[in-house]
Amino acid sequence: MTCNNSVNIFLLGLASSMKTDIRTSEVNQQDLMTFAYAFSVTIMFTLSIISNIISIDTFRQTAIRSTTVGIYLLIYSCASLFGILMLECRLFQLIDSLSYIPFFFICNLISGLASIFTRICLWLNGLIGFHRSLQSFELNHYLHRIRTKSNAIKQIIFTILIVILMHIHELVCRVTLPDPVAPGKFVCQIKYPSDLLILNQIFTFIHLFIPFSLHIISTCLIIASISHRKAILHHTTYYKQWMKQFQTHYHLFFAPLIAMLCTLPQLILSLKFSCVDISLKWLLRLNTSANLILYIPQSITFLLFIYRSEVYFNIFKTQSIFGKYFYYRHHINNQIAPHITMDTHQRHFGSKIPTHKSPLGTLVEK
């Protein structure tokens, strides 16, 4: 089957896919669908702004950013925030009165940057797990060189440059064309030659599976290293300690698994339905939804990296601007509500009472 690039669902940009769905719907449904799409993106944008600003405020604290993992987490939060800002800017393409020049700018630059920063976050996610695993091993000269802050910054810059280079073909092939279903309007498309389409699919696999595998393997190495030491120290079996440590640190698997689950649907759809006409509304909407959930990991940074970590969460409560404000307000409310128990009061103010949070947030480098 020959693919007609002018009407192929998977060559449309995210905002253009939304707009095509709106323009091909019944007239009495168009306003509702416009609101639904704009509302969905705005809710995700708002949650991301809150989550990433709180995360940046936490990760900038000296106790965290003095480590390589802390530097990666801080840059990850900034990249997530910028990527979500680019996603929100893409909504301007939904405006019917938008002229060619601003539409071209959003299509060729803003949409490209949103894609680039999504992939940067995937790689930083994997490298966070890698550097976290390095901190669980005994320090030697080679590991010391890798774990220095100067090398971490160099690695981040190198990663960003490589990801940008791997997206040059996408930036070049992004085009603004007349809308095939609405004369006088425009759509943003990516028109790959056959060779570049194959290259793009290879790059997509690399961006997804290498960071995911790196993070999963690194997390398993962390648990294995801790289990080995605990088994020797407490004279128990390695398997028993491994299961115990897995129950304590299972939250470390959340970030790579959620990134994989949110990225895989779009990849599967684009491979299984490589050439589909926009007349198939259910698939057009499914593809739009798959492209939207790509941004979920960038919207829940706080939940992925801070909330389940005892170390990071305590720093959030006691050192970050937002954390201190929230817990100050909570303290005031507790004084007003006399029925609250001492156990609850102690737990909220960082007592030594055991919690279900993992103590493994960052291992402070000596």
Side-chain angles (χ1 to χ4, degrees):
M1 176 181 176
T2 302
C3 188
N4 182 355
N5 287 350
S6 65
V7 292
N8 183 13
I9 287 175
F10 299 103
L11 296 177
L12 290 172
L14 173 61
S16 290
S17 182
M18 294 178 182
K19 196 62 181 177
T20 300
D21 187 16
I22 294 169
R23 287 170 178 167
T24 54
S25 299
E26 298 293 334
V27 175
N28 59 353
Q29 295 181 352
Q30 291 183 1
D31 289 340
L32 178 62
M33 293 190 63
T34 301
F35 172 79
Y37 279 132
F39 181 77
S40 300
V41 175
T42 303
I43 287 293
M44 185 179 293
F45 171 77
T46 303
L47 292 176
S48 177
I49 291 292
I50 296 171
S51 174
N52 284 295
I53 288 179
I54 292 176
S55 298
I56 291 171
D57 184 34
T58 303
F59 294 141
R60 72 179 180 86
Q61 304 303 321
T62 305
I64 298 179
R65 62 181 170 84
S66 61
T67 67
T68 54
V69 174
I71 294 173
Y72 272 96
L73 287 168
L74 182 59
I75 300 300
Y76 176 90
S77 301
C78 294
S80 296
L81 184 60
F82 188 80
I84 289 293
L85 285 172
M86 296 298 100
L87 173 64
E88 184 72 8
C89 289
R90 295 171 75 176
L91 281 185
F92 286 106
Q93 289 180 297
L94 299 183
I95 301 174
D96 276 328
S97 59
L98 200 66
S99 61
Y100 177 81
I101 297 299
F103 196 100
F104 175 87
F105 177 77
I106 296 172
C107 173
N108 291 62
L109 182 61
I110 300 298
S111 299
L113 287 175
S115 177
I116 288 172
F117 275 88
T118 299
R119 301 291 171 73
I120 287 174
C121 288
L122 286 175
W123 280 98
L124 291 178
N125 196 329
L127 290 170
I128 287 168
F130 173 70
H131 277 270
R132 187 180 273 151
S133 70
L134 292 181
Q135 294 180 350
S136 65
F137 295 99
E138 293 184 8
L139 192 63
N140 56 42
H141 177 70
Y142 179 71
L143 290 181
H144 178 74
R145 291 186 60 185
I146 296 178
R147 285 170 49 178
T148 60
K149 290 189 289 184
S150 60
N151 275 337
I153 294 173
K154 292 177 183 177
Q155 291 162 20
I156 291 171
I157 294 173
F158 178 77
T159 301
I160 292 174
L161 290 176
I162 291 297
V163 173
I164 292 174
L165 289 175
M166 294 174 73
H167 280 78
I168 287 179
H169 69 289
E170 178 183 330
L171 296 175
V172 171
C173 294
R174 282 185 174 274
V175 292
T176 299
L177 297 176
D179 192 327
V181 298
K185 308 300 181 183
F186 307 99
V187 290
C188 181
Q189 297 188 9
I190 307 174
K191 301 188 69 173
Y192 290 126
S194 57
D195 292 341
L196 284 183
L197 182 60
I198 295 173
L199 180 66
N200 182 70
Q201 292 173 347
I202 293 172
F203 282 168
T204 301
F205 272 101
I206 292 174
H207 289 309
L208 176 59
F209 288 104
I210 292 183
F212 171 79
S213 301
L214 183 63
H215 204 147
I216 291 294
I217 292 172
S218 298
T219 302
C220 289
L221 288 175
I222 292 173
I223 296 177
S225 176
I226 297 174
S227 301
H228 177 70
R229 293 197 298 267
K230 294 282 187 178
I232 294 175
L233 181 64
H234 298 289
H235 304 287
T236 58
T237 63
Y238 172 79
Y239 175 78
K240 183 178 180 179
Q241 285 296 330
W242 203 98
M243 294 303 298
K244 182 179 179 181
Q245 295 305 317
F246 176 80
Q247 292 174 3
T248 303
H249 303 303
Y250 68 91
H251 75 283
L252 297 178
F253 291 97
F254 286 174
L257 286 175
I258 289 177
M260 170 65 79
L261 291 175
C262 291
T263 308
L264 207 53
Q266 195 273 337
L267 177 62
I268 294 174
L269 284 173
S270 61
L271 292 176
K272 183 175 178 59
F273 304 99
S274 58
C275 182
V276 181
D277 192 274
I278 57 175
S279 59
L280 292 178
K281 298 280 289 182
W282 68 271
L283 195 54
L284 176 63
R285 292 173 182 175
L286 187 61
N287 179 59
T288 302
S289 301
N291 276 279
L292 271 178
I293 66 173
L294 285 172
Y295 295 90
I296 289 179
Q298 297 167 248
S299 305
I300 56 173
T301 306
F302 179 82
L303 296 178
L304 290 180
F305 294 106
I306 297 177
Y307 181 70
R308 295 300 301 179
S309 168
E310 185 176 350
V311 174
Y312 292 157
F313 195 73
N314 281 336
I315 291 175
F316 161 70
K317 290 192 299 183
T318 59
Q319 298 183 33
S320 72
I321 296 172
F322 295 99
K324 287 189 291 186
Y325 174 78
F326 292 150
Y327 277 84
Y328 170 77
R329 298 294 301 175
H330 181 77
H331 176 62
I332 296 298
N333 292 336
N334 281 349
Q335 290 182 331
I336 296 174
H339 64 274
I340 196 162
T341 65
M342 180 60 68
D343 177 70
T344 304
H345 178 79
Q346 290 176 339
R347 183 166 61 252
H348 282 293
F349 282 88
S351 70
K352 300 299 183 180
I353 297 174
T355 68
H356 294 293
K357 294 184 186 296
S358 165
L360 185 59
T362 180
L363 306 176
V364 180
E365 298 166 9
K366 303 296 183 182

